[in-house]
Amino acid sequence: MKWIVSVVAGLVFAFNAMAQSPTAPPQKIDELVRLLQDPDVQAWLNSRKEAVPPAPGDTAAAGSNDLAKWETAARTRVHEVISTIPAIPAEAVAAASRTRQQAISMGYAPVFVIFGGLVALGLLVEGLYRRRVGPRETLFGRLAPVGIFAGTMAIVFFAVEWPPLASVALLAYLSAFVAFRVVVALLSVAAIARPVRVRLKIIIGLICFAIATATIGGPLGMPPLAREALSYCFSVVGLLLIIETVWSTSSRARSWKAAVTAFLVALWLVWCLNMRGLFWIGVYALVLPSILNTIGRIAGTFTNDPASLRGILIVRGARATAIAAAVAWLALVWRLNPDTLGQRDPIIAALFYGALKSVLILVCADLLWQLTKGWIDRTLRGSAETASLPPADAARRARFRTLLPIFRNALAVVVAVMAALIVLAQLGVQIGPLIAGAGIFGVAIGFGSQTLVKDVISGVFYMLDDAFRVGEYIQAKDYKGTVEGFSLRSVRLRHHRGPVFTVPFGELGAVQNMSRDWVIDKFRITVGFNTDIEKARKLTKKVGAELKEDAELGPLFIEPLKMKGVEEFADYGIVLSFAMTTVPGMQTYIRRKAYAKIRELFLANGITFAQPTVQVGGDEKEGAGVAAAAQAIRTQQASAATPTT
């Protein structure tokens, strides 16, 4: 930073040394300058220049193509600007002298005194406002005092009729000062290190002062070449400050710093050659990503939920507005520089404007997609909790969870395709043949992949029929499981033992949905032949009442547990049938609880469960023969187990 300050001081001293010439040019020179700036005189000179045929030597030097003409014009312009640099101090002093003399002749103080008075008045009112409301660290709290400051100066400025030259100078420098303060307020809330912030303030202050000085140069009578030379001097100082900032504040490798420095120097050369469109494209590539991130963070402070519709609209809208402003400025710069090399080629101009329109189209498509995607994501998050909802609302939310992901994917494809087609149309590509070709290609693909088309169409009709939803348990042919998700051509099922089936829609066939509305669960229990059936029915009714009154199981019942009666007489006992109606998916859990309570209550009341038994019967002789045979077998086994000596 020290060597930058030294260079600036050297330039100032050099200008002061060169300004030791007379404070104002002679009156005849002023007359000549005013005549040259007259529009009629300039039109006459241009007409004379076009009427005079070019000399053969000039034609050979300039060449016959636009590139050679542009190169010659750029070289001449740079040479003229460089040769005008020594005259800058004299021209600046002359312009200041004219402004001061006009103000004094009309009874006003010098311009710098008026400027200081307006600034002091604005700061006084701003100080009273700050004392009244107190310090605020928010963005609005930092911008509001600047607004009070600017408003106070604007009221006083427009209430007084200033001298013409003084009015132009005051308006330019006051506007530059207010703009500088606004940018400083924005930098104060950005996440930037203090050394970088200080240097950015210096650079932005220099840019504001340079723009104001270049703006008032014409009205104050400075020649165009002197104004351009002054802009070049300011640009050199700004370039040195930016390079010093890169090398002093960045912790990256030297190779990266050297590459950025080379890029900045190349960008400055592009600006010097009056290629303003290319210059601003390079500036955007360098600083626009950081600016968009900063704008996003600042906009995020105005909303509590960035994922809400309002948050997405504020954050994404702020970034889209910044991009649109950058595109508009680039179009304005391109339009105000008709003599650049690109403007002379209609193809390049058409591609340039088409690219600008394409950027706006992509920004609008991204904003639309983000808003729609945010709404879908919020709806999916809200539909995940269905335990405390009525069955109709729970079913509607389940249908949302099923259809919205498919709609989101389809919408992404539609937005991307439409944006791509519009961008191609803006770039001059005829999209009619592309659409026709895509249709023919689609028909060919349809004939060549009938199975895929069958799967997609079947999936569409399954969704229209509401055959199943995410989270439901279904069975189709040999596949069964809980529906976890969809794609355009298949459904993903999670089996209750863990495996995942990915089944194309065309192979599902008839679908058995086990998770809709209600389910009737039936089971059987076998008891002894001597069981009191009426007593068992009453005990079962008691079990059903206890399950219904349970805080955990009660809400899962639609109809309580009941004993239907005797189903059949089995070989070992009486088969009793039971049934209950529950919410889908909970019947197995409730049945286990019912088994435990029925067993406990039946055994406590003397009801036994049937067990298989075997009876061996015969007469007395057969019994004696069986006993003798058993004794002979035992004797034989004992003799076989006795060891031999």
Side-chain angles (χ1 to χ4, degrees), residues 247-322:
W247 284 88
S248 300
T249 60
S250 178
S251 58
R252 297 195 179 185
R254 287 180 172 269
S255 58
W256 182 86
K257 296 179 182 179
V260 173
T261 302
F263 181 79
L264 291 173
V265 173
L267 206 59
W268 178 78
L269 291 176
V270 167
W271 182 83
C272 292
L273 294 175
N274 202 29
M275 302 172 67
R276 302 299 167 85
L278 186 59
F279 167 77
W280 281 106
I281 292 175
V283 172
Y284 291 161
L286 193 63
V287 302
L288 192 58
S290 300
I291 292 177
L292 292 179
N293 292 333
T294 303
I295 291 175
R297 286 196 299 268
I298 295 174
T301 59
F302 292 93
T303 178
N304 296 326
D305 184 11
S308 64
L309 181 62
R310 180 173 179 269
I312 294 175
L313 192 60
I314 290 176
V315 176
R316 293 281 178 175
R319 293 177 178 174
T321 303

Side-chain angles (χ1 to χ4, degrees), residues 41 199 207 212 234 306 328 374 400 524 539 547 551 575 594 609 620 637:
V41 175
R199 286 169 170 81
I207 293 174
F234 279 122
F400 278 159
R524 298 177 180 181
L539 293 175
L547 294 175
V575 179
F609 296 95
E620 194 172 312
Q637 290 176 348

